[in-house]
Amino acid sequence: MSIRQWPESERPREKLLARGSAHLSDAELLAVLLGSGVRGKDAITLGRELLMQAGGLNALLASQDGDIRAVGLGPAKRARLAAALELARRSLAEQLVEQPSLRNPHDSGDYLSARLRHLPYEVFACLYLDNRHRVLAFEELFRGTVDGASVHPREVVRACLKHNAAAVIFAHNHPSGVAEPSSADQAITRELGQALRLIGVRVLDHLVIGHASPVSMAARGLL
């Protein structure tokens, strides 16, 4: 039975208009976004399969355009979904930039988690801040494999000078999902801190992103 044959109160689009978007499940919201199903699958089934394939809504948010595959989506539906996900990412980034200043790891943790949490490879990224701890830019600096990313201090120094940063927050993900700082993480953080002190840039934190809440190395006393 297609969704058009369902009772009107159960159809995702009609339910959204009558009761509001908060009353729809993640799969139903995706169904409204997709607009229709494909042969043999209604739009809600497609939504569920997208969520299962990605590993949940946060993982779908973190996915890149090229990751949206399978489940029978044509180019128009893929483009619509990619555009919606990018709008959600930009909304998180806008909220971060609009803050008067970053005061603690929670201020940037949601955004960094959304960007890095579910990537299958390791990424080392940086938030560049001015002297009032306002966000200047976000940048992925290095990519690696699940075994780790090679981080080059001279490239980090060059990037800080390019953005005229007064302070930085580093972040990297652990594809294993376990957000425990390793001895290598601590060593490279110390090395970067020493290099950046020479140009007057402070390292405020280094967040390790896993499947749960980010771990702040500053809060652990590891900087």
Side-chain angles (χ1 to χ4, degrees), residues 151-213:
V151 178
H152 306 291
R154 67 179 179 277
E155 297 299 328
V156 178
V157 169
R158 184 178 293 120
C160 288
L161 291 172
K162 179 183 73 173
H163 292 288
N164 196 27
V168 292
I169 295 174
F170 298 130
H172 78 281
N173 63 312
H174 282 178
S176 66
V178 179
E180 279 298 315
S182 67
S183 57
D185 296 337
Q186 296 175 51
I188 190 61
T189 304
R190 288 193 297 270
E191 186 177 352
L192 291 172
Q194 291 167 3
L196 292 177
R197 273 196 294 274
L198 297 175
I199 60 168
V201 176
R202 289 166 293 135
V203 178
L204 300 183
D205 206 347
H206 186 163
L207 298 177
V208 183
I209 311 297
H211 290 168
S213 298

Side-chain angles (χ1 to χ4, degrees), residues 92-106:
L92 283 171
E94 191 174 274
Q95 292 173 42
L96 189 67
V97 170
E98 287 178 349
Q99 293 189 69
S101 64
L102 299 183
R103 298 174 299 278
N104 57 63
H106 299 294

